[in-house]
Amino acid sequence: STDAIWHDWIIACLDGSSPCNDKTDDFRKYVINKGLIGVVTAYVTYEMGVAIWKAENGQTTDGGAAYNWDEAAAFHIGRKDLDFSVYTIGGTTTPGSLYSPWEFNWKRDADFPNGVMTHAHAPPIFNQGLLNLRGNSYNAAAVQAAQTQMYKIYAITAIRSAIKYGWKAYGGGSFSDKYLAEGALYWRSASGYLSTFNKTTVQEIDAIFDLNKTTFTLQDACDVKTKVESLYEAANISCKEVGTWKGVEAGTCLESSCTPDGDDTLSDGDGNYVSGCVAETLADSTFTFLSDKLYCPVNDVREHADTNKDVAAVAARLKEDPVNYEAAKTIYTEGLQSSKGGGVFRTLQALAQKNQTGGKYTNVFYSGAVDLYGSTDAIWH
């Protein structure tokens, strides 16, 4: 069933049912929180795929392909006012309050400060896609390139997470189940895509991050680094782009050299705006910026962007003492902030249960995961 793709691990940890019934609160909370970032990440790729399909079929009005592309950017970035006197896009101080894929990317950028700043590249990459989806400006190759670059951003972020949290799960010989959960769920945010380059290697990494494990050895942590690096060349990722985790301990395997060193080839996207959109947009303008204040949608997608607020609200309930799983589950299943109108809310559960392989639209992230895990049931189940 499609339920099991994203939903089963999350709902099991919310309910405390198998396979989460004998897990610690830390483990359960990390599966839920990090799993929800994966859910939204997958939905970003779904909306990009819908936009590309619509454009290929002549729907290049702003209410057609551009609308879905705007939705993708909204889900990726989220919506919350940020104090940019404190937070600099391209810097390593992260807000810690957005709970969106964009912030997830930004956090890993901060962890790997000598690598590419993926969060700074994403808004202009989305802008490149939008500019090339509209009317007579439609350029299929440019839009496809923007989609591929976003896939690359997600792959780099998943790889960085695997390296960091593999080491933290090892914990110098003191196993940490919460970091196992964090590494596993973050890795899976792009493992399906990476499996299209080498399925066997990704399966080996999955086995290292088996959520049923009760130990995580030094060899496991070292093998994660070796195996993810073996994917770089085929995935057009370089050691320079990934960078080095700032927590590397001298003399350990994480300090070992990485090949191919390569260059930073992540696209700079397009810094031009659509006609009528300027960098400082008034609140009542047609164009309403998202949290980044860089990507400028041509549709009102503020409610879509508010999905990140539901992820944040779930996390807040999980921080309560005692942990408020019931309230967190209600937000997951019923929604809270992202209105669809008429008193109906967009829900994280609906995003998690969306079948992204059938119908008109293709999505390499989702279809790659289905192929990797053998069935839709097996991906998260």
Side-chain angles (χ1 to χ4, degrees), residues 41-52 69 72 76 104-105 118 122 125-126 143-159 187 189-197 235-237 266-267 356 361-368:
T41 297
Y43 213 78
V44 173
T45 69
Y46 172 73
E47 292 290 3
M48 287 194 294
V50 175
I52 288 172
W69 194 265
H76 175 77
F104 168 39
N105 303 157
T118 63
I125 289 171
F126 273 115
V143 178
Q144 287 281 358
Q147 177 181 243
T148 299
Q149 290 299 295
M150 287 307 303
Y151 287 173
K152 181 173 179 175
I153 284 175
Y154 290 151
I156 289 171
T157 305
I159 285 166
W187 163 246
S189 67
S191 60
Y193 172 65
L194 288 165
S195 75
T196 65
F197 302 106
N236 192 32
I237 293 170
L266 187 62
S267 171
Q356 300 173 26
Y361 318 121
T362 58
N363 182 324
V364 70
F365 260 68
Y366 193 95
S367 58

Tab-separated table of all heavy atoms in Angstrom, residues 41-52 69 72 76 104-105 118 122 125-126 143-159 187 189-197 235-237 266-267 356 361-368:
chain	number	residue	atom	x	y	z
A	41	THR	N	10.311	16.819	1.556
A	41	THR	CA	11.305	16.799	0.479
A	41	THR	C	10.782	16.031	-0.725
A	41	THR	O	10.886	16.493	-1.876
A	41	THR	CB	12.614	16.159	0.974
A	41	THR	OG1	13.167	16.953	2.026
A	41	THR	CG2	13.630	16.042	-0.149
A	42	ALA	N	10.222	14.869	-0.488
A	42	ALA	CA	9.673	14.073	-1.588
A	42	ALA	C	8.566	14.824	-2.303
A	42	ALA	O	8.439	14.746	-3.537
A	42	ALA	CB	9.157	12.736	-1.063
A	43	TYR	N	7.764	15.565	-1.551
A	43	TYR	CA	6.658	16.286	-2.184
A	43	TYR	C	7.152	17.462	-3.009
A	43	TYR	O	6.526	17.830	-4.004
A	43	TYR	CB	5.641	16.750	-1.138
A	43	TYR	CG	4.245	16.728	-1.704
A	43	TYR	CD1	3.553	15.522	-1.824
A	43	TYR	CD2	3.626	17.887	-2.150
A	43	TYR	CE1	2.281	15.484	-2.371
A	43	TYR	CE2	2.359	17.859	-2.693
A	43	TYR	CZ	1.695	16.658	-2.803
A	43	TYR	OH	0.438	16.619	-3.363
A	44	VAL	N	8.273	18.042	-2.636
A	44	VAL	CA	8.892	19.065	-3.489
A	44	VAL	C	9.188	18.466	-4.864
A	44	VAL	O	8.862	19.053	-5.905
A	44	VAL	CB	10.194	19.605	-2.859
A	44	VAL	CG1	10.915	20.535	-3.830
A	44	VAL	CG2	9.905	20.331	-1.557
A	45	THR	N	9.805	17.282	-4.861
A	45	THR	CA	10.160	16.661	-6.144
A	45	THR	C	8.916	16.275	-6.935
A	45	THR	O	8.911	16.338	-8.160
A	45	THR	CB	11.061	15.433	-5.929
A	45	THR	OG1	10.337	14.370	-5.308
A	45	THR	CG2	12.277	15.787	-5.079
A	46	TYR	N	7.860	15.896	-6.245
A	46	TYR	CA	6.600	15.576	-6.920
A	46	TYR	C	6.056	16.803	-7.639
A	46	TYR	O	5.680	16.737	-8.818
A	46	TYR	CB	5.586	15.058	-5.913
A	46	TYR	CG	4.186	14.892	-6.488
A	46	TYR	CD1	3.897	13.850	-7.370
A	46	TYR	CD2	3.175	15.793	-6.160
A	46	TYR	CE1	2.622	13.709	-7.906
A	46	TYR	CE2	1.899	15.651	-6.687
A	46	TYR	CZ	1.623	14.612	-7.565
A	46	TYR	OH	0.365	14.481	-8.097
A	47	GLU	N	6.018	17.941	-6.963
A	47	GLU	CA	5.470	19.152	-7.574
A	47	GLU	C	6.336	19.622	-8.742
A	47	GLU	O	5.821	20.129	-9.747
A	47	GLU	CB	5.323	20.259	-6.528
A	47	GLU	CG	4.259	19.992	-5.472
A	47	GLU	CD	2.829	20.050	-6.003
A	47	GLU	OE1	2.627	20.240	-7.219
A	47	GLU	OE2	1.905	19.882	-5.188
A	48	MET	N	7.648	19.460	-8.651
A	48	MET	CA	8.497	19.787	-9.794
A	48	MET	C	8.152	18.906	-10.984
A	48	MET	O	8.072	19.383	-12.125
A	48	MET	CB	9.975	19.624	-9.421
A	48	MET	CG	10.516	20.698	-8.509
A	48	MET	SD	12.329	20.721	-8.395
A	48	MET	CE	12.661	19.155	-7.595
A	49	GLY	N	7.932	17.623	-10.726
A	49	GLY	CA	7.571	16.710	-11.807
A	49	GLY	C	6.251	17.061	-12.451
A	49	GLY	O	6.101	16.985	-13.677
A	50	VAL	N	5.271	17.462	-11.643
A	50	VAL	CA	3.971	17.878	-12.173
A	50	VAL	C	4.143	19.112	-13.044
A	50	VAL	O	3.570	19.210	-14.140
A	50	VAL	CB	2.976	18.163	-11.039
A	50	VAL	CG1	1.662	18.707	-11.605
A	50	VAL	CG2	2.697	16.907	-10.228
A	51	ALA	N	4.938	20.081	-12.579
A	51	ALA	CA	5.167	21.308	-13.349
A	51	ALA	C	5.785	20.995	-14.703
A	51	ALA	O	5.366	21.546	-15.737
A	51	ALA	CB	6.072	22.249	-12.557
A	52	ILE	N	6.753	20.117	-14.716
A	52	ILE	CA	7.423	19.771	-15.976
A	52	ILE	C	6.456	19.070	-16.923
A	52	ILE	O	6.418	19.356	-18.127
A	52	ILE	CB	8.670	18.917	-15.684
A	52	ILE	CG1	9.752	19.809	-15.059
A	52	ILE	CG2	9.184	18.233	-16.944
A	52	ILE	CD1	10.956	19.069	-14.546
A	69	TRP	N	5.262	24.639	-9.868
A	69	TRP	CA	6.653	24.968	-9.567
A	69	TRP	C	6.729	25.878	-8.342
A	69	TRP	O	7.576	25.694	-7.465
A	69	TRP	CB	7.318	25.627	-10.769
A	69	TRP	CG	8.806	25.682	-10.653
A	69	TRP	CD1	9.565	26.721	-10.190
A	69	TRP	CD2	9.733	24.630	-10.987
A	69	TRP	NE1	10.901	26.391	-10.210
A	69	TRP	CE2	11.031	25.119	-10.702
A	69	TRP	CE3	9.588	23.349	-11.499
A	69	TRP	CZ2	12.183	24.351	-10.915
A	69	TRP	CZ3	10.735	22.578	-11.707
A	69	TRP	CH2	12.013	23.077	-11.416
A	72	ALA	N	6.290	23.776	-5.344
A	72	ALA	CA	7.522	23.065	-5.000
A	72	ALA	C	8.451	23.961	-4.201
A	72	ALA	O	8.998	23.551	-3.157
A	72	ALA	CB	8.217	22.575	-6.267
A	76	HIS	N	9.611	23.588	-0.266
A	76	HIS	CA	11.044	23.501	0.023
A	76	HIS	C	11.488	24.555	1.027
A	76	HIS	O	12.199	24.249	1.992
A	76	HIS	CB	11.856	23.672	-1.266
A	76	HIS	CG	13.335	23.726	-1.035
A	76	HIS	ND1	14.085	22.606	-0.771
A	76	HIS	CD2	14.201	24.774	-0.993
A	76	HIS	CE1	15.352	22.942	-0.580
A	76	HIS	NE2	15.447	24.262	-0.709
A	104	PHE	N	16.948	22.264	6.479
A	104	PHE	CA	17.700	21.013	6.593
A	104	PHE	C	18.983	21.106	5.766
A	104	PHE	O	20.093	20.780	6.249
A	104	PHE	CB	16.806	19.859	6.140
A	104	PHE	CG	17.475	18.533	5.917
A	104	PHE	CD1	18.483	18.071	6.736
A	104	PHE	CD2	17.055	17.725	4.859
A	104	PHE	CE1	19.080	16.821	6.518
A	104	PHE	CE2	17.641	16.486	4.645
A	104	PHE	CZ	18.656	16.040	5.459
A	105	ASN	N	18.875	21.586	4.534
A	105	ASN	CA	20.056	21.775	3.686
A	105	ASN	C	21.034	22.756	4.329
A	105	ASN	O	22.254	22.533	4.354
A	105	ASN	CB	19.655	22.309	2.315
A	105	ASN	CG	18.666	21.431	1.563
A	105	ASN	OD1	17.959	21.924	0.698
A	105	ASN	ND2	18.592	20.152	1.895
A	118	THR	N	24.588	24.701	-0.292
A	118	THR	CA	23.439	24.292	-1.113
A	118	THR	C	22.231	25.192	-0.902
A	118	THR	O	21.493	25.475	-1.847
A	118	THR	CB	23.043	22.842	-0.804
A	118	THR	OG1	22.623	22.727	0.571
A	118	THR	CG2	24.195	21.880	-1.074
A	122	ALA	N	19.768	27.069	-3.874
A	122	ALA	CA	18.414	26.586	-4.169
A	122	ALA	C	17.449	27.663	-4.675
A	122	ALA	O	16.765	27.437	-5.689
A	122	ALA	CB	17.838	25.875	-2.948
A	125	ILE	N	18.054	28.507	-8.247
A	125	ILE	CA	17.768	27.346	-9.098
A	125	ILE	C	16.269	27.236	-9.318
A	125	ILE	O	15.804	27.008	-10.448
A	125	ILE	CB	18.340	26.052	-8.477
A	125	ILE	CG1	19.873	26.054	-8.562
A	125	ILE	CG2	17.776	24.813	-9.185
A	125	ILE	CD1	20.537	24.927	-7.797
A	126	PHE	N	15.483	27.401	-8.250
A	126	PHE	CA	14.033	27.424	-8.429
A	126	PHE	C	13.614	28.573	-9.342
A	126	PHE	O	12.719	28.424	-10.178
A	126	PHE	CB	13.325	27.549	-7.074
A	126	PHE	CG	13.079	26.246	-6.385
A	126	PHE	CD1	13.692	25.944	-5.184
A	126	PHE	CD2	12.212	25.305	-6.939
A	126	PHE	CE1	13.457	24.731	-4.546
A	126	PHE	CE2	11.967	24.096	-6.314
A	126	PHE	CZ	12.589	23.800	-5.116
A	143	VAL	N	14.485	23.892	-17.619
A	143	VAL	CA	13.663	23.461	-16.481
A	143	VAL	C	14.146	22.109	-15.971
A	143	VAL	O	14.276	21.895	-14.754
A	143	VAL	CB	12.177	23.402	-16.866
A	143	VAL	CG1	11.352	22.899	-15.690
A	143	VAL	CG2	11.678	24.764	-17.307
A	144	GLN	N	14.417	21.197	-16.886
A	144	GLN	CA	14.930	19.887	-16.479
A	144	GLN	C	16.249	20.034	-15.726
A	144	GLN	O	16.502	19.336	-14.743
A	144	GLN	CB	15.124	18.994	-17.711
A	144	GLN	CG	13.846	18.483	-18.332
A	144	GLN	CD	13.253	17.294	-17.582
A	144	GLN	OE1	13.818	16.812	-16.604
A	144	GLN	NE2	12.107	16.824	-18.047
A	145	ALA	N	17.081	20.959	-16.193
A	145	ALA	CA	18.366	21.180	-15.526
A	145	ALA	C	18.156	21.687	-14.105
A	145	ALA	O	18.869	21.273	-13.166
A	145	ALA	CB	19.198	22.182	-16.325
A	146	ALA	N	17.175	22.566	-13.922
A	146	ALA	CA	16.885	23.066	-12.576
A	146	ALA	C	16.424	21.937	-11.668
A	146	ALA	O	16.843	21.844	-10.496
A	146	ALA	CB	15.826	24.162	-12.647
A	147	GLN	N	15.561	21.055	-12.169
A	147	GLN	CA	15.103	19.916	-11.385
A	147	GLN	C	16.279	19.022	-10.988
A	147	GLN	O	16.398	18.610	-9.820
A	147	GLN	CB	14.080	19.100	-12.174
A	147	GLN	CG	13.616	17.856	-11.449
A	147	GLN	CD	12.616	17.038	-12.267
A	147	GLN	OE1	11.477	16.869	-11.878
A	147	GLN	NE2	13.054	16.538	-13.412
A	148	THR	N	17.159	18.735	-11.938
A	148	THR	CA	18.309	17.877	-11.667
A	148	THR	C	19.221	18.488	-10.608
A	148	THR	O	19.772	17.782	-9.749
A	148	THR	CB	19.102	17.628	-12.962
A	148	THR	OG1	18.248	16.963	-13.907
A	148	THR	CG2	20.324	16.764	-12.709
A	149	GLN	N	19.376	19.807	-10.650
A	149	GLN	CA	20.212	20.468	-9.653
A	149	GLN	C	19.596	20.402	-8.258
A	149	GLN	O	20.309	20.274	-7.258
A	149	GLN	CB	20.472	21.915	-10.064
A	149	GLN	CG	21.376	22.055	-11.273
A	149	GLN	CD	22.761	21.476	-11.051
A	149	GLN	OE1	23.531	21.972	-10.220
A	149	GLN	NE2	23.095	20.413	-11.768
A	150	MET	N	18.277	20.474	-8.171
A	150	MET	CA	17.637	20.302	-6.866
A	150	MET	C	17.807	18.873	-6.370
A	150	MET	O	18.035	18.644	-5.166
A	150	MET	CB	16.155	20.680	-6.942
A	150	MET	CG	15.897	22.169	-7.051
A	150	MET	SD	16.717	23.144	-5.743
A	150	MET	CE	16.065	22.384	-4.250
A	151	TYR	N	17.712	17.897	-7.262
A	151	TYR	CA	17.988	16.517	-6.864
A	151	TYR	C	19.404	16.410	-6.289
A	151	TYR	O	19.651	15.712	-5.295
A	151	TYR	CB	17.881	15.587	-8.066
A	151	TYR	CG	16.497	15.298	-8.576
A	151	TYR	CD1	16.318	14.571	-9.752
A	151	TYR	CD2	15.352	15.744	-7.915
A	151	TYR	CE1	15.052	14.285	-10.238
A	151	TYR	CE2	14.091	15.470	-8.396
A	151	TYR	CZ	13.945	14.736	-9.566
A	151	TYR	OH	12.692	14.465	-10.054
A	152	LYS	N	20.341	17.095	-6.933
A	152	LYS	CA	21.737	17.049	-6.479
A	152	LYS	C	21.871	17.655	-5.092
A	152	LYS	O	22.590	17.120	-4.233
A	152	LYS	CB	22.628	17.788	-7.481
A	152	LYS	CG	24.108	17.783	-7.118
A	152	LYS	CD	24.947	18.390	-8.234
A	152	LYS	CE	26.426	18.413	-7.869
A	152	LYS	NZ	27.279	18.893	-8.974
A	153	ILE	N	21.176	18.762	-4.845
A	153	ILE	CA	21.199	19.373	-3.513
A	153	ILE	C	20.707	18.388	-2.463
A	153	ILE	O	21.323	18.224	-1.394
A	153	ILE	CB	20.347	20.660	-3.499
A	153	ILE	CG1	21.118	21.793	-4.188
A	153	ILE	CG2	19.967	21.058	-2.070
A	153	ILE	CD1	20.328	23.077	-4.344
A	154	TYR	N	19.610	17.698	-2.756
A	154	TYR	CA	19.071	16.737	-1.803
A	154	TYR	C	20.033	15.568	-1.597
A	154	TYR	O	20.173	15.054	-0.479
A	154	TYR	CB	17.708	16.244	-2.269
A	154	TYR	CG	16.617	17.297	-2.188
A	154	TYR	CD1	15.538	17.268	-3.069
A	154	TYR	CD2	16.668	18.314	-1.253
A	154	TYR	CE1	14.532	18.221	-2.999
A	154	TYR	CE2	15.670	19.275	-1.175
A	154	TYR	CZ	14.603	19.233	-2.044
A	154	TYR	OH	13.622	20.181	-1.971
A	155	ALA	N	20.702	15.145	-2.672
A	155	ALA	CA	21.657	14.041	-2.549
A	155	ALA	C	22.844	14.435	-1.679
A	155	ALA	O	23.280	13.668	-0.812
A	155	ALA	CB	22.128	13.607	-3.935
A	156	ILE	N	23.382	15.631	-1.902
A	156	ILE	CA	24.515	16.098	-1.100
A	156	ILE	C	24.118	16.177	0.372
A	156	ILE	O	24.881	15.769	1.265
A	156	ILE	CB	25.002	17.476	-1.608
A	156	ILE	CG1	25.698	17.321	-2.963
A	156	ILE	CG2	25.945	18.125	-0.600
A	156	ILE	CD1	26.025	18.639	-3.648
A	157	THR	N	22.925	16.671	0.640
A	157	THR	CA	22.474	16.811	2.024
A	157	THR	C	22.303	15.459	2.697
A	157	THR	O	22.674	15.278	3.867
A	157	THR	CB	21.159	17.600	2.072
A	157	THR	OG1	21.333	18.855	1.407
A	157	THR	CG2	20.720	17.854	3.496
A	158	ALA	N	21.749	14.488	1.975
A	158	ALA	CA	21.589	13.144	2.526
A	158	ALA	C	22.943	12.500	2.800
A	158	ALA	O	23.141	11.838	3.835
A	158	ALA	CB	20.774	12.278	1.564
A	159	ILE	N	23.891	12.689	1.900
A	159	ILE	CA	25.231	12.133	2.060
A	159	ILE	C	25.925	12.733	3.286
A	159	ILE	O	26.522	12.021	4.106
A	159	ILE	CB	26.058	12.382	0.785
A	159	ILE	CG1	25.597	11.412	-0.318
A	159	ILE	CG2	27.554	12.235	1.043
A	159	ILE	CD1	26.099	11.784	-1.710
A	187	TRP	N	19.222	10.021	5.586
A	187	TRP	CA	19.807	9.334	4.439
A	187	TRP	C	18.716	8.938	3.446
A	187	TRP	O	18.846	9.120	2.240
A	187	TRP	CB	20.593	8.107	4.900
A	187	TRP	CG	20.890	7.112	3.821
A	187	TRP	CD1	20.405	5.836	3.732
A	187	TRP	CD2	21.739	7.291	2.679
A	187	TRP	NE1	20.883	5.210	2.602
A	187	TRP	CE2	21.712	6.080	1.935
A	187	TRP	CE3	22.503	8.342	2.206
A	187	TRP	CZ2	22.425	5.909	0.752
A	187	TRP	CZ3	23.220	8.188	1.020
A	187	TRP	CH2	23.187	6.979	0.310
A	189	SER	N	16.086	10.369	2.715
A	189	SER	CA	15.477	11.478	1.989
A	189	SER	C	15.923	11.522	0.537
A	189	SER	O	15.236	12.101	-0.307
A	189	SER	CB	15.795	12.811	2.683
A	189	SER	OG	17.176	13.121	2.612
A	190	ALA	N	17.073	10.916	0.230
A	190	ALA	CA	17.531	10.882	-1.165
A	190	ALA	C	18.115	9.540	-1.571
A	190	ALA	O	18.694	9.421	-2.647
A	190	ALA	CB	18.570	11.978	-1.407
A	191	SER	N	17.970	8.516	-0.736
A	191	SER	CA	18.572	7.222	-1.070
A	191	SER	C	17.963	6.611	-2.328
A	191	SER	O	18.661	5.950	-3.106
A	191	SER	CB	18.423	6.249	0.107
A	191	SER	OG	17.054	6.030	0.430
A	192	GLY	N	16.665	6.830	-2.542
A	192	GLY	CA	16.036	6.301	-3.747
A	192	GLY	C	16.660	6.879	-5.008
A	192	GLY	O	16.939	6.159	-5.974
A	193	TYR	N	16.884	8.177	-4.989
A	193	TYR	CA	17.534	8.831	-6.135
A	193	TYR	C	18.949	8.305	-6.317
A	193	TYR	O	19.360	7.948	-7.434
A	193	TYR	CB	17.543	10.340	-5.922
A	193	TYR	CG	18.348	11.102	-6.940
A	193	TYR	CD1	17.973	11.119	-8.285
A	193	TYR	CD2	19.483	11.819	-6.565
A	193	TYR	CE1	18.711	11.827	-9.221
A	193	TYR	CE2	20.222	12.530	-7.496
A	193	TYR	CZ	19.837	12.535	-8.826
A	193	TYR	OH	20.569	13.234	-9.757
A	194	LEU	N	19.709	8.224	-5.246
A	194	LEU	CA	21.089	7.759	-5.352
A	194	LEU	C	21.168	6.301	-5.788
A	194	LEU	O	22.149	5.884	-6.407
A	194	LEU	CB	21.814	7.969	-4.016
A	194	LEU	CG	22.128	9.437	-3.704
A	194	LEU	CD1	22.495	9.606	-2.234
A	194	LEU	CD2	23.256	9.938	-4.597
A	195	SER	N	20.126	5.542	-5.506
A	195	SER	CA	20.131	4.130	-5.920
A	195	SER	C	20.041	3.978	-7.434
A	195	SER	O	20.368	2.909	-7.960
A	195	SER	CB	18.978	3.375	-5.252
A	195	SER	OG	17.730	3.693	-5.847
A	196	THR	N	19.600	5.027	-8.125
A	196	THR	CA	19.547	4.945	-9.587
A	196	THR	C	20.949	4.959	-10.185
A	196	THR	O	21.118	4.648	-11.366
A	196	THR	CB	18.714	6.096	-10.188
A	196	THR	OG1	19.345	7.349	-9.926
A	196	THR	CG2	17.304	6.106	-9.606
A	197	PHE	N	21.950	5.295	-9.381
A	197	PHE	CA	23.334	5.271	-9.839
A	197	PHE	C	24.039	3.976	-9.434
A	197	PHE	O	24.863	3.458	-10.180
A	197	PHE	CB	24.096	6.489	-9.287
A	197	PHE	CG	23.492	7.798	-9.683
A	197	PHE	CD1	22.784	8.552	-8.761
A	197	PHE	CD2	23.590	8.262	-10.988
A	197	PHE	CE1	22.208	9.758	-9.121
A	197	PHE	CE2	23.013	9.464	-11.368
A	197	PHE	CZ	22.316	10.216	-10.444
A	235	ALA	N	26.976	10.161	-9.682
A	235	ALA	CA	25.932	11.132	-9.349
A	235	ALA	C	26.346	12.575	-9.643
A	235	ALA	O	25.608	13.504	-9.319
A	235	ALA	CB	25.556	11.002	-7.875
A	236	ASN	N	27.522	12.744	-10.244
A	236	ASN	CA	28.039	14.077	-10.588
A	236	ASN	C	28.190	14.948	-9.340
A	236	ASN	O	27.848	16.129	-9.324
A	236	ASN	CB	27.150	14.772	-11.620
A	236	ASN	CG	27.800	16.018	-12.202
A	236	ASN	OD1	29.027	16.090	-12.336
A	236	ASN	ND2	26.995	17.011	-12.552
A	237	ILE	N	28.709	14.328	-8.287
A	237	ILE	CA	28.978	15.017	-7.027
A	237	ILE	C	30.477	14.907	-6.755
A	237	ILE	O	31.094	13.866	-7.022
A	237	ILE	CB	28.188	14.374	-5.873
A	237	ILE	CG1	26.685	14.601	-6.067
A	237	ILE	CG2	28.628	14.918	-4.520
A	237	ILE	CD1	25.810	13.810	-5.117
A	266	LEU	N	27.719	22.835	-8.888
A	266	LEU	CA	26.315	23.103	-8.596
A	266	LEU	C	25.917	24.431	-9.224
A	266	LEU	O	26.596	25.445	-9.065
A	266	LEU	CB	26.078	23.144	-7.086
A	266	LEU	CG	24.619	23.239	-6.631
A	266	LEU	CD1	23.817	22.026	-7.078
A	266	LEU	CD2	24.540	23.387	-5.110
A	267	SER	N	24.797	24.417	-9.931
A	267	SER	CA	24.360	25.585	-10.693
A	267	SER	C	24.109	26.793	-9.791
A	267	SER	O	23.646	26.664	-8.655
A	267	SER	CB	23.082	25.242	-11.457
A	267	SER	OG	22.523	26.398	-12.045
A	356	GLN	N	3.145	8.665	-5.743
A	356	GLN	CA	3.798	9.513	-6.736
A	356	GLN	C	4.322	8.745	-7.939
A	356	GLN	O	5.057	9.295	-8.752
A	356	GLN	CB	4.937	10.282	-6.062
A	356	GLN	CG	4.458	11.171	-4.924
A	356	GLN	CD	5.590	11.807	-4.154
A	356	GLN	OE1	6.676	11.999	-4.678
A	356	GLN	NE2	5.354	12.133	-2.890
A	361	TYR	N	2.365	11.651	-13.934
A	361	TYR	CA	3.611	12.287	-13.548
A	361	TYR	C	4.637	11.264	-13.091
A	361	TYR	O	4.311	10.300	-12.406
A	361	TYR	CB	3.365	13.286	-12.415
A	361	TYR	CG	2.124	14.111	-12.593
A	361	TYR	CD1	1.109	14.095	-11.647
A	361	TYR	CD2	1.942	14.881	-13.740
A	361	TYR	CE1	-0.046	14.842	-11.813
A	361	TYR	CE2	0.795	15.626	-13.924
A	361	TYR	CZ	-0.201	15.603	-12.957
A	361	TYR	OH	-1.340	16.338	-13.138
A	362	THR	N	5.874	11.496	-13.449
A	362	THR	CA	6.961	10.625	-13.005
A	362	THR	C	7.823	11.372	-12.004
A	362	THR	O	7.961	12.585	-12.061
A	362	THR	CB	7.829	10.176	-14.188
A	362	THR	OG1	8.347	11.345	-14.853
A	362	THR	CG2	7.015	9.353	-15.166
A	363	ASN	N	8.410	10.631	-11.094
A	363	ASN	CA	9.210	11.230	-10.035
A	363	ASN	C	10.332	10.269	-9.703
A	363	ASN	O	10.104	9.221	-9.108
A	363	ASN	CB	8.328	11.475	-8.808
A	363	ASN	CG	9.069	12.139	-7.678
A	363	ASN	OD1	10.238	11.883	-7.441
A	363	ASN	ND2	8.371	13.000	-6.956
A	364	VAL	N	11.548	10.596	-10.109
A	364	VAL	CA	12.662	9.678	-9.953
A	364	VAL	C	12.995	9.433	-8.486
A	364	VAL	O	13.481	8.364	-8.122
A	364	VAL	CB	13.902	10.177	-10.722
A	364	VAL	CG1	14.498	11.411	-10.068
A	364	VAL	CG2	14.949	9.073	-10.843
A	365	PHE	N	12.726	10.414	-7.606
A	365	PHE	CA	12.975	10.198	-6.190
A	365	PHE	C	12.099	9.073	-5.652
A	365	PHE	O	12.564	8.166	-4.962
A	365	PHE	CB	12.698	11.486	-5.399
A	365	PHE	CG	13.938	12.251	-5.066
A	365	PHE	CD1	14.692	12.867	-6.054
A	365	PHE	CD2	14.372	12.353	-3.763
A	365	PHE	CE1	15.841	13.569	-5.763
A	365	PHE	CE2	15.519	13.056	-3.446
A	365	PHE	CZ	16.258	13.664	-4.442
A	366	TYR	N	10.837	9.134	-5.971
A	366	TYR	CA	9.878	8.162	-5.457
A	366	TYR	C	10.004	6.816	-6.171
A	366	TYR	O	10.070	5.765	-5.536
A	366	TYR	CB	8.480	8.740	-5.623
A	366	TYR	CG	7.380	8.025	-4.891
A	366	TYR	CD1	6.956	8.454	-3.637
A	366	TYR	CD2	6.727	6.943	-5.452
A	366	TYR	CE1	5.923	7.821	-2.973
A	366	TYR	CE2	5.695	6.305	-4.810
A	366	TYR	CZ	5.290	6.747	-3.565
A	366	TYR	OH	4.270	6.120	-2.921
A	367	SER	N	10.062	6.848	-7.500
A	367	SER	CA	10.154	5.593	-8.245
A	367	SER	C	11.482	4.895	-7.968
A	367	SER	O	11.554	3.657	-7.930
A	367	SER	CB	9.978	5.836	-9.747
A	367	SER	OG	10.942	6.745	-10.237
A	368	GLY	N	12.542	5.679	-7.744
A	368	GLY	CA	13.815	5.079	-7.372
A	368	GLY	C	13.728	4.374	-6.032
A	368	GLY	O	14.298	3.290	-5.838
